[in-house]
Amino acid sequence: MNNEISCLNEDKFKPVTPYGPITAIKIHNNYIYVGYGSLLKIYNIETQESVFQTQVFKRRKIHSIDISPNGESVLLSGEKSFMVANLSDLFEEKAEYIEKSIHEWIITSCFSDDSTILLLNAYNNVYQINLSDYTYEKIHCNEKSILYSGSINILNDGEIYIAAGTVMNGVVIWNLKTRKIVYNLKDHEGSIFGVKIDQTGKFIISCSDDRSIKLYDFRTGNLLANGWGHGSRIWGLSFFKSENDKIMSIGEDCTLRIWKFDGTDQLVQLRLYENCHRGKHIWSGDVDDDICVTGGADGKLRIHDLNEDNQNVEKYSIDEISETCQFDLMKNEFIRDFYELETCLILLTSNGHLIKFEKEIKEFRYMGHYSTLINFGIVKGFKELGIVVIADRQGDLLVTDGDRTEWIDSKINRTISNIFTYSQEHQYFILMDCPNPNIPYILYKFNDSFNIVEVKEVPKPEKFITISSIALDLENNWLVLATKKITIGIIDLNSMESKVFRRISQGDTISQISIINPSKNNLDLLILARDGIYTYLRTNLSSIEIYQQNKLTRGFIEGGSIQNNELILYGFKSSYFYVWNETRQIEIMNQYCGGNGHRQYKFIKQNNGFRFIYNFKNYLCICEFQHRFKDYGLINQGTHGREIRDLSIGENGLLAIIAEDSTISLNKIINGGVKHYWSMNNHISGMQRIKFMNENYLGSSAANEEFIIWKLNSMDDIPTIYEVARLEKTKDVPDLRIMDFDSIEITSDTFMIATVYSDSQIKIWNYNKGFNLISKWIYKSCCVLNVQFCTFGDVVYLLIATTDGFISVYKLTNDYKNHSVVLRTQLHQSSIKAINLYKRDDDHYILITGGDDNAITVNALNQKGDVLSIDLIDRDEFAASSTITSISKVNDTEFVVTSVDQIVRLWSFKDTTLKCNAEKFTTVADTGCSDITEINNEKILVIGGAGLSLWNL
Amino acid sequence: MGKTSKDKRDLYYRRAKEEGWRARSAFKLLQLNDEFNLFDGIKNVVDLCAAPGSWSQVLSQKLPEDSKIIAVDLQPMTPIDNVVTLQADITHPKTLTTILHHFNGELADFICSDGAPDITGLHDLDEYIQSQLILSALQLSICLLKPGGKFIAKIFRGKDIDLLYSQLSNLFEQVICAKPKSSRSTSLEAFVVCLGYKPLPGWKPKLDLNKSTEDFFSEIITDKEFDIPEETRKMVKFISCGDINDIDSDATYNNLDKLTLDPIQKPTAPPYKKALEMRRNGEFNRRL
Ligand SMILES: C[S@@+](CC[C@H](N)C(=O)[O-])C[C@H]1O[C@@H](n2cnc3c(N)ncnc32)[C@H](O)[C@@H]1O
């Protein structure tokens, strides 16, 4: 059997797209070289396009990349392999990829000159290899403890130092020529995960399990400064290319941090990029002077703009403002509110003073004092018209373009509480709200010259106290209002009839309501709740249907919009303002601003970025952010940044995934790649199973007794997903897991469902909008791992597979209320980790099982008369070198098996023999699940684990 | 290792406390012994990566009184009757020589290692470090084990585990992959049980203070340097150990009474203790 253990007829499988940990990044000239598992990918920085992509190592992953001094060759190394390739051959696609190997793990590698390379291995040995004939010398400093990290540092003066990061013994710095240990730095606790020396030979930096960064003087070995901030382990560090007092660091907490040594004993954290990646771990990164590139466990590659001009904050103190506009503001006077126009910013102070800030020349000009605006004033405007509108207590409107001011008499003569503006296609609206619930709203319509063309009284819907946001649907002439407790009211402005929908989600305040899509008698809305919940819904005025709803876990939502079909949200989290791309699951920017409190702020979208204007500690701050890179610098798409636990493919390539990060993602397989739409946070932890129940419903199960049913839909060709029901918890035992479930469709919206539990329970439910428990029993005391229904004629059976290696089949009565065991047989020594049960013909099913015991079995379930029997077709005790984790059916007699040994195998069976027809290694570690679908007559296999891989069969 | 609520619900954990074992791992060794009669006729043993010491406790109870038991770990261990404890890194050449000195020319009957490194999450690296722990243990076995002796080690059944099986098969009569019932089926953990040590003919291995595990094994590697090695992989028999009626470590058990016993093992201070303290004290805030 030897040698057929891991490769056989490999061409039966054609890998198409892998997603997985990015383990090496090197910026060189205009290119980014990326170790994407075994693949080398090269991107042009300017265009952000991929210019090269090839699998260069057979199995091993690339962990280090270097370019020769003459720029002609590239050196790749990773695990125990290394390779040198000529770059122009590579680009002309005529390079030969000759993978070479040493016996131990290569920590890092580099060129010492054009024809010599150095490899540092995990036992602190350096191979100095002459590339012309591969003669070599092995050099060590006599300290051979195991390393977790290390670097080879060629200093400007030509000296070469090895910096070795050990497990127990701190940092060891030694000179390659003299083989002498220069320093053994022991200030860190725990394993060292990164250490480097700057080119000029001034500093050493290191990081370890203790979560600190330490900076040393290279000439004395003295510790100069510490950098604290990372929330978990730090995986890498780099000096900036030309400023050796600046450092970047990346880590397990998915942050990228920029530090500066300013001579004090604490490194200053200049910038913090949070949530750069999804899940956990930024494994690799490199920095040039004004860009930084990071690669995560999520398989995403991101380029970050370090140019400070592109996120610039201007600050003006109240005193400064008062001085430049030559007007004495009162003590305690503050800026109440502001509105920005194309060329200027109009400010209203608490004492009724109006000030204009000229953006071009950065000067403040005093505009005047308005006594009715003392202690009150709502500042809004219409940017398209270049007009700022300020309402006083009586609802009169002060209108200004920054030069002239004019009052508009609203003629309501009553105290107002708020005004709202709305504009669309040369129509401009102001809605006035007053505190008395019996007094209607007044809706003003203006034309392009800002003359009132219409005034309407709009009766308040019942119990509408304070509204927080409005939107107008001009197609249907509907006014949409948001109020407390996530309640909306829709008023038909023709008939003035209104309809109220209460409690659309949890939470209290709707921070923004916006119209996605109006069509005749239909309206799609995006509702953002401050607590972090966003909802897409469709209404026809008489009812609403929720399409999509999710809760952000990162912070509050103040607003957002849909841009190019991507949901962009912004808000505050602790002391930061942040902009978040929900579709791509990345943070676009953050700005330290002291949090929201009750401060005024404005967020303004611009052509190529945005402005965020806020008050902070008596300063007016104007933050301008510009996108330097397209797609937010996201160069390569990725997936979950944690181990994928299960996946399921539905209609039209819809792909649902659950992962260790406790999220469910909804994706689509398009052009051999995976496009991500949503990442749902409804589960708490311990994800177990995900399965499409039919084309409209998806089910998922997890720890905490969670089982959720999701309704699938689509809005504007974008698939949507919404939790419609979940099982109630019966016990306060977080560890109680629903291991698996199965369903039988009764109608397209109702199901019979079986759920199986880690405490040996089996439950049968009827689902019709809600759950109705039909029956429950207990298997034994062990954990039930798998469940599936099967039917012979009208007879329904339930098959379970358990940790004791048995399968059991229960016959259910027609009403599902009673059960009796009809079969029980041991197929494996211990846990049955995977099953696949499918109907072969009217009176038999095929059951394939895979176990923790590395074995697979193929059986036939036959019903003869009233008797169900199981007949073994064949079994293989040596089906894999490790646990079998999934079985996916290709056709009636062929199936694919994944196991943790990272070998994917294609099996077939006939009569009484089972045969392995193909075997191929997958780079997806912790291989845990798979599914097969057919798209355009092509069979596609999706493999999940620590990453995701798409193969053609 | 503090106790989590999950630990409290774990029946092996509870039983370990009731029976006075320092860790639930004790049951793994006991179940392996039930299957393979590991303790029959052995006296001289080395327990590698032994902290907090439940395997050593088992050995100290099950072996004859005049046995020699050496236990080694990176972490300090509370003394156990009849067991010599050493605090050291088993991948360090000095450690193996120290152990050898304790045996003073005698050979060992049984060597075990339950070692596991801190997991980084980078699967390939974690598997490599784990394999180095096993190789260090194997290196000691080669120098110290009497012919016919037994060796067991914790493994993670990831990629390339079949390469290790093949290596071990050259040195032992029988190599088996065993998984005790007390080891969760969701974990990749298993144990390689090697029975009947047969020294490689013609190889007189010697431990040397300046020789790493790498240097040690390079003596028997025949591949030319830099060639991709001719990889011999081997599958071995899998045996699930423990009685079918034993506690299922994947199951959730209900109606457990409150556990009031003290934790079986004192938590050791993690390297990031200071970072946690600083964060708690708000000394972690970003400075502009
Ligand atoms: C699962 S515990 C062993 C439990 C032990 N068998 C018992 O029953 O109490 C794994 C141990 O491996 C140790 N270890 C990991 N790497 C080591 C190394 N290089 N040298 C010595 N011990 C190591 C850890 O310190 C840890 O205590």
Side-chain angles (χ1 to χ4, degrees):
Chain A
M1 199 155 179
N2 280 350
N3 292 332
E4 279 183 23
I5 290 173
S6 69
C7 45
L8 175 73
N9 298 332
E10 289 186 272
D11 53 352
K12 293 227 176 186
F13 296 114
K14 287 191 191 62
V16 191
T17 317
Y19 298 94
I22 296 182
T23 40
I25 293 177
K26 171 94 183 168
I27 304 172
H28 187 261
N29 291 341
N30 283 322
Y31 295 97
I32 308 167
Y33 296 76
V34 179
Y36 204 95
S38 313
L39 264 62
L40 173 67
K41 292 193 181 197
I42 306 175
Y43 296 88
N44 181 313
I45 294 180
E46 214 79 356
T47 63
Q48 294 175 229
E49 305 283 338
S50 161
V51 292
F52 176 84
Q53 164 169 346
T54 292
Q55 179 167 355
V56 291
F57 285 163
K58 199 157 179 290
R59 293 187 177 194
R60 294 167 178 166
K61 294 192 167 82
I62 302 169
H63 284 266
S64 159
I65 302 173
D66 195 33
I67 312 287
S68 62
N70 63 12
E72 284 174 9
S73 320
V74 60
L75 164 65
L76 308 168
S77 69
E79 305 189 30
K80 298 172 182 175
S81 287
F82 70 99
M83 169 183 298
V84 178
N86 181 291
L87 276 175
S88 51
D89 286 355
L90 200 108
F91 284 117
E92 287 163 28
E93 287 178 5
K94 54 181 200 201
E96 265 188 283
Y97 302 108
I98 303 167
E99 182 174 352
K100 299 199 172 278
S101 176
I102 62 171
H103 300 302
E104 299 300 332
W105 185 275
I106 301 170
I107 296 278
T108 186
S109 60
C110 71
F111 284 94
S112 61
D113 59 53
D114 291 327
S115 57
T116 315
I117 58 168
L118 303 171
L119 312 177
L120 171 66
N121 81 6
Y123 281 95
N124 209 359
N125 274 305
V126 173
Y127 284 75
Q128 180 170 321
I129 304 170
N130 183 333
L131 289 177
S132 58
D133 52 5
Y134 281 88
T135 50
Y136 71 98
E137 188 181 359
K138 215 165 150 180
I139 305 168
H140 62 83
C141 65
N142 245 326
E143 176 58 60
K144 298 181 187 171
S145 48
I146 264 212
L147 311 183
Y148 257 117
S149 61
S151 60
I152 304 169
N153 302 277
I154 303 176
L155 305 190
N156 290 343
D157 62 10
E159 289 291 320
I160 302 178
Y161 289 92
I162 309 302
T166 70
V167 179
M168 284 277 287
N169 204 18
V171 169
V172 177
I173 309 263
W174 57 284
N175 184 301
L176 189 71
K177 208 190 298 165
T178 64
R179 306 179 183 203
K180 289 254 153 59
I181 294 177
V182 197
Y183 300 116
N184 185 354
L185 309 168
K186 293 198 165 180
D187 301 273
H188 277 295
E189 292 192 45
S191 310
I192 310 292
F193 295 123
V195 53
K196 279 191 180 144
I197 303 169
D198 90 280
Q199 279 209 346
T200 66
K202 201 165 169 203
F203 300 122
I204 305 166
I205 37 165
S206 60
C207 59
S208 89
D209 214 354
D210 66 12
R211 301 177 184 178
S212 74
I213 295 172
K214 301 200 188 287
L215 181 103
Y216 294 87
D217 186 334
F218 179 69
R219 280 163 300 204
T220 61
N222 290 339
L223 177 62
L224 297 176
N226 281 295
W228 296 95
H230 275 283
S232 43
R233 290 175 289 182
I234 308 168
W235 295 133
L237 293 164
S238 257
F239 286 103
F240 277 49
K241 292 253 152 80
S242 56
E243 296 165 275
N244 60 4
D245 56 352
K246 273 176 145 184
I247 298 146
M248 74 132 200
S249 66
I250 50 174
E252 187 173 5
D253 60 1
C254 272
T255 66
L256 158 67
R257 291 163 201 256
I258 308 294
W259 308 83
K260 189 179 167 70
F261 174 58
D262 64 353
T264 66
D265 63 359
Q266 294 286 309
L267 294 176
V268 182
Q269 186 178 295
L270 294 179
R271 299 245 20 202
L272 162 66
Y273 297 81
E274 273 194 310
N275 302 309
C276 308
H277 290 266
R278 204 165 143 197
K280 251 188 178 183
H281 305 301
I282 299 181
W283 287 127
S284 54
D286 196 10
V287 60
D288 211 321
D289 282 327
D290 72 345
I291 59 162
C292 178
V293 182
T294 55
D298 60 356
K300 277 182 185 147
L301 185 71
R302 278 192 83 183
I303 180 162
H304 308 269
D305 182 8
L306 302 184
N307 185 339
E308 280 156 27
D309 294 344
N310 290 333
Q311 184 171 338
N312 177 38
V313 184
E314 287 166 17
K315 292 181 181 177
Y316 304 96
S317 71
I318 294 286
D319 292 343
E320 219 177 319
I321 294 173
S322 152
E323 211 169 283
T324 53
C325 60
Q326 296 170 349
F327 180 83
D328 286 339
L329 293 174
M330 291 197 5
K331 254 213 166 79
N332 300 333
E333 192 161 348
F334 60 91
I335 295 166
R336 171 176 300 287
D337 203 353
F338 39 80
Y339 189 87
E340 197 186 50
L341 297 174
E342 208 59 55
T343 58
C344 62
L345 178 69
I346 306 291
L347 311 169
L348 173 68
T349 72
S350 51
N351 239 348
H353 295 289
L354 216 56
I355 294 165
K356 172 182 170 185
F357 174 66
E358 304 265 10
K359 281 154 72 175
E360 187 78 18
I361 52 173
K362 299 191 189 318
E363 264 178 25
F364 290 89
R365 204 165 57 74
Y366 182 67
M367 289 177 66
H369 184 244
Y370 300 88
S371 56
T372 57
L373 296 177
I374 298 175
N375 294 330
F376 188 92
I378 298 158
V379 184
K380 297 274 159 96
F382 295 98
K383 200 165 184 178
E384 315 90 296
L385 288 178
I387 279 178
V388 174
V389 180
I390 305 172
D392 71 9
R393 227 183 230 106
Q394 300 296 313
D396 288 333
L397 303 171
L398 180 67
V399 179
T400 179
D401 60 2
D403 295 323
R404 286 164 302 126
T405 52
E406 186 189 330
W407 280 98
I408 295 182
D409 183 357
S410 67
K411 302 200 179 75
I412 56 170
N413 299 323
R414 203 182 290 124
T415 313
I416 62 154
S417 54
N418 210 346
I419 68 166
F420 297 87
T421 54
Y422 192 85
S423 67
Q424 196 186 317
E425 289 160 17
H426 301 280
Q427 303 185 59
Y428 308 89
F429 299 88
I430 292 182
L431 183 85
M432 259 181 223
D433 186 10
C434 45
N436 186 334
N438 300 318
I439 291 172
Y441 305 113
I442 303 186
L443 182 67
Y444 300 85
K445 182 172 167 185
F446 299 83
N447 61 12
D448 277 326
S449 358
F450 213 64
N451 295 320
I452 300 180
V453 290
E454 199 179 295
V455 183
K456 246 187 200 157
E457 288 200 351
V458 182
K460 278 186 184 167
E462 217 183 312
K463 289 205 222 149
F464 258 62
I465 319 271
T466 20
I467 51 176
S468 54
S469 176
I470 71 159
L472 260 157
D473 163 12
L474 299 179
E475 162 101 23
N476 293 306
N477 212 16
W478 293 348
L479 172 66
V480 189
L481 307 168
T483 188
K484 289 253 148 81
K485 307 251 185 277
I486 319 295
T487 294
I488 62 166
I490 305 179
I491 301 159
D492 183 334
L493 292 177
N494 299 328
S495 64
M496 289 298 170
E497 274 170 40
S498 66
K499 181 88 188 173
V500 175
F501 303 101
R502 297 190 192 277
R503 282 257 170 228
I504 287 164
S505 72
Q506 290 174 323
D508 191 42
T509 308
I510 292 180
S511 44
Q512 185 193 305
I513 234 180
S514 41
I515 288 171
I516 308 173
N517 252 333
S519 60
K520 198 91 211 119
N521 299 321
N522 256 326
L523 179 61
D524 293 350
L525 291 171
L526 170 64
I527 296 172
L528 307 177
R530 179 155 298 138
D531 309 66
I533 299 173
Y534 63 85
T535 307
Y536 288 64
L537 60 81
R538 177 165 291 175
T539 175
N540 55 11
L541 208 57
S542 62
S543 68
I544 57 169
E545 184 178 1
I546 295 176
Y547 277 57
Q548 175 70 39
Q549 188 168 82
N550 195 15
K551 186 172 167 63
L552 234 64
T553 48
R554 314 190 183 271
F556 297 102
I557 305 180
E558 295 296 336
S561 60
I562 300 168
Q563 294 169 24
N564 305 325
N565 282 333
E566 293 178 14
L567 178 60
I568 312 292
L569 300 168
Y570 63 85
F572 297 91
K573 52 173 185 183
S574 58
S575 340
Y576 292 85
F577 173 79
Y578 73 105
V579 185
W580 169 252
N581 185 324
E582 172 68 4
T583 307
R584 298 193 189 226
Q585 295 284 302
I586 49 173
E587 191 168 289
I588 297 170
M589 68 84 93
N590 68 45
Q591 176 63 42
Y592 182 63
C593 66
N596 67 335
H598 291 288
R599 281 184 200 91
Q600 280 301 337
Y601 74 90
K602 290 267 158 46
F603 178 73
I604 305 132
K605 247 190 303 167
Q606 284 185 324
N607 248 346
N608 190 35
F610 31 76
R611 287 159 74 82
F612 168 54
I613 305 173
Y614 58 103
N615 277 329
F616 181 34
K617 289 184 182 157
N618 267 323
Y619 280 86
L620 173 74
C621 306
I622 304 175
C623 166
E624 175 142 7
F625 177 90
Q626 286 192 41
H627 292 293
R628 174 163 160 203
F629 300 108
K630 67 174 184 197
D631 293 335
Y632 318 99
L634 187 63
I635 303 181
N636 194 83
Q637 298 289 341
T639 171
H640 293 259
R642 300 291 304 276
E643 285 77 0
I644 290 172
R645 287 292 166 236
D646 195 19
L647 58 85
S648 178
I649 309 175
E651 298 281 313
N652 302 320
L654 212 53
L655 170 66
I657 302 175
I658 53 174
E660 200 76 323
D661 58 6
S662 300
T663 67
I664 294 186
S665 67
L666 189 69
N667 315 270
K668 208 168 194 169
I669 301 171
I670 298 173
N671 301 330
V674 172
K675 186 172 165 63
H676 175 261
Y677 293 101
W678 304 108
S679 177
M680 307 302 293
N681 299 316
N682 308 40
H683 281 291
I684 300 172
S685 67
M687 306 304 291
Q688 300 295 334
R689 192 71 81 207
I690 190 145
K691 244 187 246 177
F692 285 92
M693 296 164 63
N694 64 13
E695 59 179 335
N696 298 323
Y697 292 94
L698 179 74
S700 62
S701 75
N704 294 292
E705 262 180 278
E706 287 178 339
F707 175 67
I708 296 179
I709 295 189
W710 307 83
K711 178 91 197 282
L712 302 166
N713 221 320
S714 79
M715 191 178 264
D716 280 345
D717 289 333
I718 293 191
T720 58
I721 172 169
Y722 168 58
E723 173 182 327
V724 284
R726 69 160 68 207
L727 276 181
E728 234 169 85
K729 257 171 94 154
T730 63
K731 296 197 174 98
D732 192 25
V733 178
D735 184 46
L736 183 52
R737 290 151 286 150
I738 299 188
M739 304 302 295
D740 193 13
F741 63 91
D742 195 29
S743 60
I744 294 183
E745 187 184 286
I746 308 292
T747 70
S748 62
D749 293 310
T750 54
F751 301 89
M752 294 306 299
I753 295 170
T755 51
V756 293
Y757 296 74
S758 56
D759 65 354
S760 233
Q761 289 189 85
I762 299 160
K763 293 183 183 173
I764 309 274
W765 310 85
N766 174 256
Y767 174 76
N768 184 355
K769 295 207 171 81
F771 293 95
N772 189 7
L773 183 64
I774 303 295
S775 163
K776 69 169 180 180
W777 68 96
I778 285 174
Y779 166 63
K780 287 174 114 189
S781 65
C782 68
C783 177
V784 184
L785 293 174
N786 291 287
V787 64
Q788 208 171 322
F789 286 109
C790 59
T791 50
F792 289 93
D794 308 334
V795 190
V796 179
Y797 295 95
L798 190 72
L799 179 144
I800 61 163
T802 39
T803 46
D804 55 6
F806 279 76
I807 60 125
S808 311
V809 182
Y810 301 93
K811 185 172 176 176
L812 304 179
T813 50
N814 282 347
D815 57 4
Y816 292 82
K817 282 194 174 138
N818 296 298
H819 66 274
S820 52
V821 189
V822 290
L823 271 179
R824 205 172 109 73
T825 178
Q826 185 168 17
L827 294 178
H828 293 272
Q829 291 185 49
S830 53
S831 295
I832 300 182
K833 304 275 278 200
I835 65 168
N836 201 316
L837 177 66
Y838 57 90
K839 200 171 209 143
R840 183 77 187 272
D841 52 49
D842 277 351
D843 37 39
H844 83 277
Y845 269 82
I846 298 293
L847 170 67
I848 309 166
T849 63
D852 197 25
D853 59 0
N854 311 346
I856 54 177
T857 76
V858 181
N859 314 270
L861 274 183
N862 300 309
Q863 184 177 261
K864 288 190 202 87
D866 232 11
V867 181
L868 191 75
S869 67
I870 182 163
D871 301 306
L872 183 71
I873 293 174
D874 197 7
R875 62 184 300 144
D876 193 328
E877 311 254 313
F878 297 93
S881 298
S882 126
T883 313
I884 308 286
T885 50
S886 77
I887 301 168
S888 299
K889 180 187 157 201
V890 180
N891 55 43
D892 274 353
T893 57
E894 274 188 305
F895 56 93
V896 167
V897 173
T898 64
S899 50
V900 193
D901 58 6
Q902 288 183 234
I903 308 293
V904 178
R905 295 179 171 86
L906 177 69
W907 296 82
S908 69
F909 61 92
K910 209 175 141 194
D911 306 326
T912 61
T913 49
L914 175 62
K915 199 174 149 232
C916 182
N917 296 328
E919 297 177 332
K920 192 175 173 69
F921 177 80
T922 168
T923 49
V924 177
D926 207 350
T927 331
C929 50
S930 66
D931 200 358
I932 290 176
T933 190
E934 197 169 305
I935 297 174
N936 300 331
N937 294 323
E938 241 177 354
K939 283 239 152 77
I940 296 178
L941 166 70
V942 181
I943 306 158
L948 190 73
S949 207
L950 270 62
W951 289 9
N952 278 344
L953 278 183
Chain B
M1 268 192 260
K3 54 177 174 171
T4 62
S5 65
K6 197 168 171 179
D7 285 338
K8 284 191 221 163
R9 299 203 62 84
D10 181 305
L11 283 200
Y12 280 108
Y13 178 88
R14 297 166 75 100
R15 232 176 94 188
K17 281 174 112 178
E18 281 159 19
E19 297 177 14
W21 305 118
R22 292 182 183 177
R24 71 193 287 293
S25 317
F27 297 105
K28 299 179 190 166
L29 185 60
L30 288 166
Q31 287 171 341
L32 287 168
N33 180 51
D34 288 346
E35 182 72 39
F36 300 102
N37 298 320
L38 297 170
F39 305 153
D40 280 5
I42 64 171
K43 267 178 68 182
N44 290 348
V45 303
V46 185
D47 180 11
L48 297 169
C49 304
S54 76
W55 282 27
S56 292
Q57 285 180 301
V58 170
L59 292 165
S60 141
Q61 285 193 13
K62 301 273 168 175
L63 302 193
E65 233 154 73
D66 58 343
S67 296
K68 189 186 288 274
I69 305 169
I70 314 272
V72 189
D73 201 286
L74 290 175
Q75 305 288 337
M77 266 162 72
T78 325
I80 300 168
D81 281 351
N82 221 6
V83 176
V84 179
T85 57
L86 301 175
Q87 187 178 357
D89 174 3
I90 69 157
T91 63
H92 203 283
K94 278 187 206 134
T95 309
L96 301 187
T97 0
T98 314
I99 300 170
L100 227 54
H101 281 312
H102 277 274
F103 276 89
N104 215 353
E106 270 185 79
L107 292 178
D109 306 298
F110 176 67
I111 294 177
C112 59
S113 167
D114 189 24
D118 273 342
I119 300 295
T120 63
L122 206 53
H123 292 263
D124 311 294
L125 178 62
D126 291 335
E127 281 165 24
Y128 173 77
I129 301 282
Q130 178 68 20
S131 73
Q132 292 319 105
L133 281 184
I134 300 169
L135 285 183
S136 295
L138 182 64
Q139 180 185 357
L140 181 73
S141 306
I142 288 169
C143 300
L144 190 61
L145 213 49
K146 72 163 195 232
K150 303 163 199 166
F151 170 65
I152 68 173
K154 191 209 286 282
I155 53 171
F156 291 101
R157 286 184 287 164
K159 75 164 183 184
D160 293 346
I161 192 65
D162 37 18
L163 291 175
L164 180 74
Y165 291 155
S166 154
Q167 278 175 314
L168 292 170
S169 301
N170 295 331
L171 293 162
F172 293 89
E173 305 279 347
Q174 248 195 89
V175 178
I176 294 149
C177 170
K179 179 136 178 161
K181 288 248 183 307
S182 49
S183 173
R184 291 193 182 90
S185 80
T186 41
S187 124
L188 301 184
E189 173 188 90
F191 293 86
V192 59
V193 177
C194 307
L195 306 175
Y197 174 55
K198 40 168 199 187
L200 265 194
W203 186 30
K204 292 259 167 306
K206 267 188 68 188
L207 284 183
D208 179 334
L209 278 185
N210 291 321
K211 247 197 230 169
S212 63
T213 309
E214 173 191 6
D215 300 333
F216 181 85
F217 282 103
S218 66
E219 291 172 7
I220 51 163
I221 291 173
T222 50
D223 299 312
K224 233 178 88 204
E225 195 69 89
F226 304 147
D227 284 352
I228 287 280
E230 193 52 57
E231 288 180 335
T232 11
R233 294 170 186 270
K234 192 172 156 64
M235 288 192 185
V236 301
K237 198 171 161 63
F238 175 92
I239 293 181
S240 168
C241 313
D243 190 86
I244 200 149
N245 297 315
D246 274 349
I247 301 165
D248 174 9
S249 49
D250 292 293
T252 309
Y253 290 87
N254 296 306
N255 311 320
L256 302 177
D257 22 302
K258 270 224 159 67
L259 206 59
T260 45
L261 297 161
D262 295 331
I264 18 190
Q265 107 193 50
K266 279 190 230 104
T268 48
Y272 48 86
K273 193 167 160 240
K274 180 163 183 211
L276 293 182
E277 266 165 26
M278 288 180 72
R279 162 163 285 188
R280 218 172 7 248
N281 300 339
E283 294 167 321
F284 236 43
N285 285 343
R286 137 182 179 137
R287 310 187 311 148
L288 282 166

